[in-house]
């Protein structure tokens, strides 16, 4: 198993990236080689500092870095030697089987889409991001790859998300919901109503419309939405969780009695924080591209990078893409048969 890592991508790159690779080297022996794409001198200094084994590390020089202010589409053409482009090239060439990047999300999506192409039949790729709830994990798809989606794209998200949940997460019959403003079938915009009809006619286990509170309360495996909505929902949830922990800390340390109670419940607070922490989940797969691409949080710590590498290894080991293509083809065949009968 071979994984390419964008060593220069992320708010705390390359330090956190290299440290995270160091953790992954210890935890995931099945990954026999890590390709680190980035400035050779800088990356080598950190590799030596963390004493990473030369037998499992290969540095691939990249002279450019995609900045957050760069255009996603233009970065692929104007910064062909960027760390993210070089990492994707390693997958395209067959040297690596997956890429992990905590850098510019749009650039990672653009580079993988252009260089690796889409799985046959897929209209647009989608980011599948985990969100913890009362029943385990609810995955939002799309979380920001395709902000101007069409109805068929969301149908494909439902299919791809269902395959991912079944093949990689081990869910026997994944439940798929559609993000809307009410649970009733007739609720939503004309766009969501169109998507609703398509999902209902598909062969996946579609449970209907879901609302914001359902993300945390219901046993849902995949929630389908356009990338604009998904990204806003995900970042709002993340910000709310951070604010709640901040406010809770302020209140619990406001007087000695509360502080004493907080110390007694320290283990519970720690468990809840870990459950809601993106570091635990590591990264989000970009579904639909003809390869494995894991999008990590921009502010990823070393632990988050390590877990993003774990997600990449899981996707590789389950050979996800052939299953997605098979289900997309099945959906197209079912649609064609229904059209002929009507």
């Amino acid at each position: 198993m071979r994984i390419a890592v964008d060593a220069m991508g992320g708010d705390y790159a390359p330090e956190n990236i290299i440290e995270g690779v160091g953790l992954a080297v210890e935890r995931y022996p099945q990954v026999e080689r890590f390709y680190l794409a980035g400035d050779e001198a800088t990356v080598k200094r950190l590799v030596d500092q963390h004493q990473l084994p030369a037998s499992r590390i290969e540095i691939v020089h990249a002279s450019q870095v995609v900045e957050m202010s760069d255009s996603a589409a233009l970065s692929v053409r104007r910064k062909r030697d960027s760390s993210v482009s070089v990492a994707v090239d390693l997958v395209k060439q067959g040297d690596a089987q997956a890429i992990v990047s905590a850098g510019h999300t749009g650039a990672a999506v653009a580079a993988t889409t252009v260089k690796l192409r889409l799985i046959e039949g897929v209209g647009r790729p989608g980011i599948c991001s985990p969100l913890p709830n009362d029943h385990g994990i609810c995955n939002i798809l799309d979380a920001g790859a395709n902000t101007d989606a069409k109805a068929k794209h969301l149908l494909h998200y439902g299919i791809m998300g269902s395959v991912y949940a079944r093949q990689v997460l081990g869910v026997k019959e994944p439940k798929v919901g559609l993000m809307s403003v009410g649970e009733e079938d007739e609720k939503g915009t004309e766009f969501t109503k169109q998507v609703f009809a398509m999902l209902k006619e598909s062969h996946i286990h579609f449970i209907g419309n879901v609302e914001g509170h359902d993300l945390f309360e219901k046993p849902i495996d995949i929630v389908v939405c356009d990338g604009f909505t998904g990204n806003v929902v995900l970042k709002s949830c993340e910000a709310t969780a951070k604010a709640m922990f901040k406010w809770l800390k302020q209140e619990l340390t406001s007087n000695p009695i509360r502080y004493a109670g907080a110390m007694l419940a320290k283990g519970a607070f720690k468990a809840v924080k870990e459950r809601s922490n993106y570091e635990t989940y590591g990264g989000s797969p970009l579904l639909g591209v003809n390869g494995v691409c894991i999008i990590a949080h921009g502010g990823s710590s070393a632990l988050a990078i390590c877990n993003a590498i774990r997600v990449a290894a899981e996707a590789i080991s389950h050979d996800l893409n052939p299953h997605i293509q098979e289900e997309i083809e099945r959906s197209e065949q079912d649609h064609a048969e229904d059209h002929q009968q009507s």
Side-chain angles (χ1 to χ4, degrees), residues 23-261:
L23 293 175
V25 165
E26 296 175 1
R27 298 184 185 185
Y28 311 121
Q30 69 269 35
V31 183
E32 64 262 23
R33 184 162 293 274
F34 295 88
Y35 292 95
L36 306 182
D39 179 73
E40 186 173 10
T42 303
V43 174
K44 188 178 187 307
R45 174 178 58 80
L46 291 168
V47 165
D48 292 342
Q49 179 182 317
H50 289 282
Q51 299 180 334
L52 302 189
S55 61
R56 296 176 64 190
I57 300 294
E58 183 171 334
I59 301 171
V60 182
H61 181 64
S63 62
Q64 298 172 305
V65 176
V66 176
E67 306 294 344
M68 293 306 295
S69 57
D70 288 340
S71 162
L74 292 178
S75 67
V76 179
R77 297 199 301 269
R78 295 180 179 177
K79 291 190 173 181
R80 296 182 181 181
D81 200 42
S82 67
S83 54
V84 65
S85 283
V86 170
V88 174
D89 283 337
L90 289 166
V91 177
K92 181 181 179 180
Q93 295 159 191
D95 295 318
Q97 296 163 281
I99 171 183
V100 173
S101 177
H104 193 305
T105 298
V109 172
T112 50
T113 302
V114 170
K115 294 172 181 287
L116 304 182
R117 304 298 182 184
L118 296 175
I119 295 172
E120 187 175 350
V122 174
R124 290 287 188 278
I127 300 172
C128 185
S129 292
L131 190 69
N133 71 8
D134 286 346
H135 303 273
I137 298 295
C138 169
N139 293 278
I140 297 178
L141 178 62
D142 171 33
N146 181 18
T147 56
D148 191 20
K150 296 180 180 179
K152 193 168 186 178
H153 299 159
L154 269 67
L155 169 64
H156 288 169
Y157 293 158
I159 295 170
M160 293 192 295
S162 184
V163 173
Y164 176 73
R166 185 171 63 250
Q167 295 294 330
V168 179
L169 304 180
V171 182
K172 289 185 179 180
E173 191 177 10
K175 299 181 180 67
V176 179
L178 173 64
M179 195 74 194
S180 189
V181 294
E183 294 183 356
E184 297 81 6
D185 294 6
E186 66 275 8
K187 289 291 182 70
T189 63
E190 289 304 314
F191 174 70
T192 57
K193 290 176 184 178
Q194 185 181 0
V195 176
F196 185 100
M198 296 174 76
L199 288 169
K200 190 173 183 179
E201 292 173 1
S202 70
H203 59 273
I204 62 176
H205 185 189
F206 179 54
I207 61 172
N209 288 333
V210 296
E211 298 179 81
H213 62 85
D214 293 324
L215 297 175
F216 300 96
E217 298 172 356
K218 285 191 174 182
I220 311 168
D221 300 296
I222 301 292
V223 171
V224 172
C225 58
D226 63 89
F228 182 91
T229 302
N231 193 264
V232 170
V233 168
L234 196 67
K235 288 180 178 177
S236 296
C237 291
E238 181 184 320
T240 300
K242 285 183 179 179
M244 289 300 295
F245 276 108
K246 179 182 178 181
W247 298 338
L248 190 59
K249 183 177 181 180
Q250 290 173 345
E251 293 298 327
L252 290 173
T253 56
S254 62
N255 64 60
I257 295 177
R258 287 184 177 180
Y259 184 75

